[in-house]
């Protein structure tokens, strides 16, 4: 089975711009979660989508948004970029996200640099 | 609010030695994960611990969970250089009262195994 894929792998943007990141989960997985990783704050949960609906949300401002499509692929969007948004953005997928034995499988990440 | 603390944050050890990484969390949850991250790479799932007293072993790594003490340990036996990486524990925040964060991560333990 192919793993979780994320595109693009690297991005450079300037302050004030917006960016869209994409995540394709493992085939058959319906839950997609997004995380931000920075040296200062570590790994932080952004949001989780299941069956095209946001199921859980972390403590990020409204500039961070996401969506999920009927094929379970997910996108996250960051508007009005700030320097502090520079980070590695990871997505993870599971079958349902609630199964007892489930673990989250992470993609390779998108490294975003905001100048 | 769920908080996850790992210690130590940095660990330098000699090959062949044993050591333990500790993960404490603040609110009851019955699902804890351990992940490994190599520099510049994504997260690799190591263990999922689901119940009090759970113990899992893979090679030189053994993880355990004490839900009453809200403590998990990752024990390294006879360390080898290939184990050098950053290890994260994470707790399923959606299983805590009022929790909405899918995974809440510790800050990570950077392990360096010296020949």
């Amino acid at each position: 089975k192919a793993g979780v894929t994320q595109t693009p792998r690297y991005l450079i943007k300037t302050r004030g711009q917006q960016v869209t990141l994409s995540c394709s989960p493992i085939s058959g997985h319906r839950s997609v979660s997004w995380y931000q990783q920075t040296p200062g704050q570590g790994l932080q949960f952004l949001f989780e989508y299941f069956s095209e609906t946001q199921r859980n949300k972390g403590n990020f401002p409204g500039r961070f948004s996401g969506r999920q499509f009927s094929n379970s692929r997910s996108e996250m969007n960051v508007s009005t970029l700030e320097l502090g948004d520079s980070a590695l953005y990871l997505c993870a997928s599971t079958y349902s996200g609630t199964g007892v034995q489930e673990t989250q499988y992470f993609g390779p990440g998108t490294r975003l640099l905001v100048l | 609010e769920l908080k996850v603390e790992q210690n130590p944050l940095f660990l330098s050890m000699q090959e062949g030695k044993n050591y333990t990484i500790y993960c404490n969390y603040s609110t009851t949850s019955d699902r804890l994960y351990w992940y490994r991250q190599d520099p510049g790479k994504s997260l690799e799932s190591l263990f999922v611990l689901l119940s009090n007293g759970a113990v899992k072993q893979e090679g030189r790594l053994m993880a355990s969970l004490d839900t009453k003490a809200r403590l998990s340990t990752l024990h390294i036996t006879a360390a080898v250089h290939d184990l050098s990486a950053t290890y994260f524990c994470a707790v399923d925040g959606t299983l805590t009262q009022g929790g909405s964060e899918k995974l809440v991560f510790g800050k990570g333990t950077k392990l360096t195994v010296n020949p």
Side-chain angles (χ1 to χ4, degrees), chain A residues 8-81:
Chain A
R9 295 293 310 279
Y10 303 94
L11 263 180
I12 300 177
K13 293 284 188 180
T14 56
R15 279 180 298 174
Q17 288 187 309
Q18 75 166 15
V19 67
T20 298
L21 312 181
S22 180
C23 172
S24 292
I26 292 171
S27 177
H29 284 191
R30 297 164 62 193
S31 165
V32 174
S33 298
W34 288 89
Y35 296 84
Q36 181 196 66
Q37 185 176 28
T38 60
Q41 299 299 316
L43 280 153
Q44 295 182 284
F45 171 73
L46 282 153
F47 27 66
E48 179 197 12
Y49 284 87
F50 178 78
S51 291
E52 303 178 62
T53 301
Q54 188 180 86
R55 183 158 67 178
N56 291 293
K57 188 177 187 306
N59 299 317
F60 278 80
R63 299 187 297 108
F64 293 82
S65 63
R67 59 177 175 168
Q68 187 180 33
F69 302 93
S70 59
N71 61 358
S72 294
R73 189 178 70 85
S74 177
E75 290 182 345
M76 69 164 280
N77 183 274
V78 188
S79 62
T80 319
L81 284 165

Side-chain angles (χ1 to χ4, degrees), chain A residues 35 37 56-57 97 100 104 107, chain B residues 35 37 42 50 100 102-103:
Chain A
Y35 296 84
Q37 185 176 28
N56 291 293
K57 188 177 187 306
V100 173
Q104 294 205 344
Chain B
Y35 286 91
Q37 186 176 40
S42 187
L50 302 173
S100 63
K102 186 60 185 170
L103 287 183

Side-chain angles (χ1 to χ4, degrees), chain B residues 28-97:
Chain B
T28 300
S29 174
D30 291 333
R31 202 177 301 171
L32 188 140
Y33 303 81
W34 284 96
Y35 286 91
R36 167 182 172 148
Q37 186 176 40
D38 292 293
K41 303 290 187 182
S42 187
L43 296 171
E44 174 191 353
S45 175
L46 295 174
F47 302 109
V48 182
L49 301 170
L50 302 173
S51 61
N52 189 42
V55 177
K56 290 196 174 180
Q57 183 165 5
E58 180 74 33
R60 301 174 187 274
L61 300 178
M62 183 173 71
S64 66
L65 178 62
D66 182 344
T67 58
K68 292 178 182 176
R70 298 177 192 159
L71 171 68
S72 180
T73 60
L74 181 66
H75 186 72
I76 302 154
T77 301
V80 294
H81 180 70
D82 285 352
L83 290 179
S84 297
T86 299
Y87 293 84
F88 292 93
C89 66
V91 177
D92 190 332
T94 61
L95 297 180
T96 66
Q97 189 172 5

Side-chain angles (χ1 to χ4, degrees), chain A residues 69-112:
Chain A
F69 302 93
S70 59
N71 61 358
S72 294
R73 189 178 70 85
S74 177
E75 290 182 345
M76 69 164 280
N77 183 274
V78 188
S79 62
T80 319
L81 284 165
E82 300 177 0
L83 296 179
D85 297 333
S86 295
L88 179 66
Y89 290 88
L90 295 163
C91 84
S93 78
T94 63
Y95 176 68
S96 71
T98 57
V100 173
Q101 295 290 342
E102 289 186 351
T103 190
Q104 294 205 344
Y105 295 93
F106 283 80
T110 294
R111 192 166 294 279
L112 172 65

